[in-house]
Amino acid sequence: MKAAIFKQAGQVICEEVPKPTPSNPDELVMRVVRACVCGSDLWWYRGISPRKSNTSTGHEAIGVVDQVGQSVTSVKPGDFIIVPFAYSCGVCPVCKAGFEATCPRGGFFDSGERGLGAQAEFMRVPKADGTVVVIPGGIERARSFSDDMLADLLTLSDVMATGYHAAATAEVKAGDTVAVVGDGAVGLCGVISAKLRGASRIIALSRHEDRQALAREFGATDIVAERDQAAVDRVKELTDGWGVDAVLECVGSKQSTSTALNIARNGAVIGRVGVPHDEQVDPEAMFYRNLGLRGGPASVRTWDRQILLQAVLDGSINPGRVFTDTYDLDHIAEAYQAMDQRTSVKSLLKVSEV
Amino acid sequence: MKAAIFKQAGQVICEEVPKPTPSNPDELVMRVVRACVCGSDLWWYRGISPRKSNTSTGHEAIGVVDQVGQSVTSVKPGDFIIVPFAYSCGVCPVCKAGFEATCPRGGFFDSGERGLGAQAEFMRVPKADGTVVVIPGGIERARSFSDDMLADLLTLSDVMATGYHAAATAEVKAGDTVAVVGDGAVGLCGVISAKLRGASRIIALSRHEDRQALAREFGATDIVAERDQAAVDRVKELTDGWGVDAVLECVGSKQSTSTALNIARNGAVIGRVGVPHDEQVDPEAMFYRNLGLRGGPASVRTWDRQILLQAVLDGSINPGRVFTDTYDLDHIAEAYQAMDQRTSVKSLLKVSEV
């Protein structure tokens, strides 16, 4: 089968590799219908984070169940499923509390292990019963889905759920004034999430016109194009000096974290989902402002099943709009380049027909 | 009038000073009935935090309204009130969100400013309408209160509400397994709070027998007397290796914060109320465990009015049990010494009859 393979910084290519089979009784193999490239892939693509050569890539996919291991009970061949970016046991106290992406028995699909990569024609899914999200109706219903609906569903494997995790951990509630730091696909999904949770005012910090337009389409009421201290000043100005009720931190850098803390109203919670790189916080300064810091790898399965899958299926949210370019596996290199060069907000991979 | 005055590290004495009057139209002056010494007072008493000489001390009191400034509308002479450790405007977005102890228009009674100290026969209360908690029934009803009830009510000026702030920001909910780090008066009130919020298992980290007994009386189901890594190991053992659903951090040291983070179940929130001293957190490690860090100066007025005052008045909680010694203002030096030497959990000051 075809699969994307990381060679070295700046180089991801499509190679012919063996098709995976369930290597454990609790695994399934999925035929990938749609996959994509994540903003977090750019950390190693750009050589900022280390990654071994010749590793499988990709951690976002939807598709059709092809084979199941003998202990898999909740899903069967022909089911149409979402695979979150992390696998999880589904039954431990961490999973039961709704934090399955940090299940100590689980792991990340982006570990590089062969067969786990989502940018491929087939992928293995460990701990299938505790991991996948089943889209009701199976392959028959899925064949009726438009390309736009498939794109919307694909975001439920990561970015939409990650944006929602930021909003949920920031405790966004009806009537809140919310700021979203970061205008990547996750930040844009954060805007959708803040609106979905009833925020009455959503301030998107975005410096790119195309993303500003998408943010507005998704529900942003204000755009702040300034950066650093000027951005803080502007958000303060927009909130009569008080700061916002909740902050969605969707970048993970030292600068974005600092901005997030500085634009928060005393007592606010920063919900963060940007993979941290050199983040620094001053716990004493946070204490005297009653600021909270929460978040981490997103609870994809929890949020999908609790709210997001239904919201996509009934058309009340359209997160698939974050995909601005479409590629096939043969053009995986271009899909990465477009995101690296910011000509694409997020690159979709059309791997197969339903 | 008599008032406690800080002279130098290790020396707080009772002096005769002028009785305060409302210095602003929004202030009131309260005749203090009960006050006390706080664990946080020990930071400067021991010379660890700086404090100016000849400053007023104390930030916890209940008493009778003596005089009100002309703009005060919600309270009148003869009312029996609780004065939280911080004053607040009561109307800004921070106060409305329930984080009044960090109101940017407010301040701490323990600033040292003359007249604001609670360890005195009378004290000024700035921004009275936004600050005090009125105990229904006024001085007439208060005269019927037992010494125990007065002690219970006094804890609502700080420690009981602070313990509750830890539990609330840690998001303790019914059925949770909760750990309380710190066995001072606040930690003990944290145990009460965890129980009040429906925790089914409460693990108190306590190394002192007298405090262990109080913790059990307040609802602790397990006592962990170990410290540092041994304490972490023991809590993990008690929770089958998973850690606890919520942690109340009631100390504020580097060590206690580290313990709090290490005993938390992935996805848990640490609610912290210990005044931070050299606290350090690793935001990246927290991220990959979905750990949250919240808390700060407690929302005394919010929690008192929402739940705690009623719980004290109907006898369902007895936080006044944290007072193990009683003094008068003439013996303020002994009241501090008893806490410094840990012979007292918390020292009560009987300043006047109701």
Side-chain angles (χ1 to χ4, degrees):
Chain A
M1 68 163 190
K2 291 178 183 174
I5 301 292
F6 171 77
K7 289 296 181 182
Q8 60 184 15
Q11 193 185 17
V12 176
I13 63 170
C14 181
E15 280 190 356
E16 197 65 30
V17 302
K19 180 187 163 186
T21 51
S23 62
N24 267 309
D26 66 0
E27 290 193 357
L28 64 75
V29 167
M30 177 178 84
R31 174 169 63 78
V32 177
V33 170
R34 295 288 185 276
C36 48
V37 181
C38 184
S40 67
D41 291 333
L42 297 179
W43 290 108
W44 49 256
Y45 182 79
R46 291 171 174 164
I48 299 168
S49 305
R51 188 184 187 92
K52 280 192 186 162
S53 189
N54 288 309
T55 46
S56 294
T57 59
H59 57 267
E60 301 160 284
I62 56 172
V64 180
V65 177
D66 183 60
Q67 280 183 274
V68 297
Q70 59 193 29
S71 73
V72 174
T73 59
S74 63
V75 62
K76 60 185 185 309
D79 281 350
F80 196 57
I81 61 171
I82 299 161
V83 179
F85 63 82
Y87 54 92
S88 48
C89 78
V91 295
C92 74
V94 175
C95 288
K96 281 185 182 163
F99 294 94
E100 62 271 14
T102 46
C103 167
R105 296 167 177 164
F108 295 110
F109 282 96
D110 196 37
S111 66
E113 189 180 334
R114 285 296 180 110
L116 294 188
Q119 294 161 354
E121 290 185 292
F122 292 87
M123 69 183 290
R124 279 196 293 126
V125 179
K127 302 190 187 302
D129 285 328
T131 300
V132 306
V133 178
V134 179
I135 300 167
I139 191 170
E140 294 74 19
R141 183 186 186 194
R143 286 191 176 123
S144 73
F145 289 149
S146 66
D147 276 344
D148 285 350
M149 177 57 83
L150 292 174
D152 287 338
L153 290 167
L154 175 59
T155 66
L156 301 187
S157 65
D158 185 343
V159 283
M160 182 60 224
T162 296
Y164 195 85
H165 197 64
T169 55
E171 302 178 14
V172 174
K173 60 184 190 313
D176 274 358
T177 293
V178 175
V180 181
V181 180
D183 63 359
V186 169
L188 292 167
C189 289
V191 172
I192 296 175
S193 303
K195 189 176 177 191
L196 201 55
R197 292 177 66 93
S200 58
R201 194 170 182 194
I202 302 170
I203 302 170
L205 279 72
S206 171
R207 291 179 291 121
H208 304 88
E209 274 189 23
D210 54 337
R211 294 158 192 238
Q212 291 173 359
L214 257 181
R216 285 211 184 268
E217 185 185 317
F218 286 160
T221 54
D222 301 82
I223 302 289
V224 169
E226 289 85 350
R227 58 187 304 175
D228 302 341
Q229 187 56 44
V232 174
D233 293 343
R234 182 70 187 126
V235 174
K236 285 292 187 75
E237 196 181 300
L238 288 170
T239 54
D240 296 327
W242 297 102
V244 297
D245 301 315
V247 186
L248 281 56
E249 201 294 290
C250 305
V251 180
S253 70
K254 185 176 169 181
Q255 184 55 48
S256 64
T257 306
S258 166
T259 298
L261 291 164
N262 287 329
I263 62 179
R265 192 247 302 130
N266 286 2
V269 179
I270 287 87
R272 63 193 182 130
V273 291
V275 175
H277 286 82
D278 294 324
E279 270 192 1
Q280 286 173 17
V281 298
D282 175 351
E284 189 162 331
M286 284 177 58
F287 182 89
Y288 285 107
R289 295 184 55 213
N290 254 298
L291 293 182
L293 186 69
R294 293 189 58 190
S299 304
V300 174
R301 194 180 202 226
T302 293
W303 304 132
D304 282 359
R305 301 210 289 191
Q306 197 173 102
I307 181 167
L308 300 178
L309 178 56
Q310 192 53 49
V312 160
L313 289 174
D314 69 20
S316 56
I317 61 174
N318 298 104
R321 297 271 291 119
V322 298
F323 295 110
T324 47
D325 288 22
T326 301
Y327 303 85
D328 60 20
L329 275 179
D330 290 322
H331 293 84
I332 186 73
E334 287 84 346
Y336 274 84
Q337 283 157 15
M339 286 189 62
D340 179 39
Q341 293 157 17
R342 287 185 172 271
T343 59
S344 167
V345 175
K346 193 169 175 70
S347 299
L348 181 95
L349 296 173
K350 193 168 173 176
V351 179
S352 68
E353 298 299 326
V354 175
Chain B
M1 68 164 190
K2 290 177 182 176
I5 302 292
F6 171 78
K7 289 297 181 182
Q8 61 184 14
Q11 192 184 19
V12 176
I13 62 169
C14 181
E15 280 191 355
E16 196 66 30
V17 301
K19 179 187 163 185
T21 52
S23 62
N24 267 308
D26 66 0
E27 290 191 0
L28 64 73
V29 166
M30 177 178 84
R31 175 169 62 79
V32 177
V33 170
R34 295 288 185 276
C36 48
V37 182
C38 184
S40 68
D41 291 332
L42 297 179
W43 290 108
W44 49 257
Y45 182 81
R46 290 169 175 167
I48 299 168
S49 305
R51 187 185 187 92
K52 281 192 187 163
S53 189
N54 288 309
T55 46
S56 294
T57 60
H59 56 268
E60 302 161 283
I62 56 172
V64 180
V65 177
D66 183 58
Q67 280 183 274
V68 297
Q70 60 192 29
S71 74
V72 175
T73 60
S74 64
V75 62
K76 60 185 185 308
D79 281 351
F80 195 57
I81 61 172
I82 299 161
V83 179
F85 63 81
Y87 53 92
S88 49
C89 77
V91 294
C92 75
V94 175
C95 286
K96 282 184 182 163
F99 294 94
E100 63 271 14
T102 47
C103 167
R105 296 168 177 162
F108 293 111
F109 282 96
D110 196 37
S111 65
E113 189 180 334
R114 284 296 179 109
L116 294 188
Q119 294 162 354
E121 288 184 294
F122 292 87
M123 68 184 291
R124 279 195 294 127
V125 179
K127 301 188 188 301
D129 284 328
T131 300
V132 306
V133 178
V134 178
I135 301 167
I139 191 171
E140 293 74 19
R141 184 185 186 194
R143 285 190 178 125
S144 74
F145 290 149
S146 65
D147 275 344
D148 284 349
M149 176 58 81
L150 291 173
D152 287 338
L153 290 167
L154 175 60
T155 66
L156 300 187
S157 66
D158 186 345
V159 283
M160 182 60 223
T162 295
Y164 195 84
H165 197 65
T169 56
E171 302 178 13
V172 174
K173 59 184 190 312
D176 274 357
T177 294
V178 175
V180 180
V181 180
D183 63 359
V186 169
L188 293 166
C189 289
V191 171
I192 297 175
S193 303
K195 189 174 178 193
L196 201 54
R197 292 176 66 93
S200 58
R201 193 168 183 196
I202 302 170
I203 303 169
L205 279 72
S206 171
R207 290 179 291 122
H208 304 88
E209 274 188 25
D210 53 338
R211 295 160 193 236
Q212 291 174 358
L214 257 181
R216 286 209 183 270
E217 184 184 320
F218 286 159
T221 54
D222 300 82
I223 301 289
V224 169
E226 290 85 350
R227 58 187 305 177
D228 301 339
Q229 187 56 45
V232 173
D233 294 343
R234 181 71 186 127
V235 174
K236 285 292 189 75
E237 195 180 302
L238 288 171
T239 55
D240 295 327
W242 297 103
V244 297
D245 301 314
V247 186
L248 281 55
E249 200 295 289
C250 305
V251 179
S253 70
K254 186 175 167 181
Q255 185 55 48
S256 64
T257 306
S258 166
T259 298
L261 290 164
N262 288 329
I263 62 178
R265 191 245 304 130
N266 286 2
V269 180
I270 287 87
R272 62 194 183 129
V273 291
V275 175
H277 285 82
D278 294 324
E279 272 193 0
Q280 285 174 16
V281 298
D282 175 351
E284 190 163 331
M286 282 177 61
F287 182 90
Y288 286 107
R289 293 184 56 214
N290 254 298
L291 293 182
L293 187 69
R294 292 189 59 190
S299 304
V300 174
R301 195 181 201 224
T302 293
W303 304 133
D304 282 0
R305 301 211 288 191
Q306 197 173 101
I307 182 166
L308 300 178
L309 177 56
Q310 191 53 50
V312 160
L313 288 174
D314 69 19
S316 56
I317 61 174
N318 298 104
R321 297 271 293 119
V322 297
F323 295 109
T324 47
D325 287 23
T326 301
Y327 303 86
D328 59 21
L329 275 178
D330 290 322
H331 294 82
I332 187 73
E334 287 84 347
Y336 274 85
Q337 284 158 16
M339 285 188 62
D340 179 40
Q341 293 158 17
R342 288 185 172 271
T343 59
S344 166
V345 176
K346 192 168 175 71
S347 298
L348 182 96
L349 296 172
K350 194 168 174 177
V351 179
S352 68
E353 297 298 327
V354 176

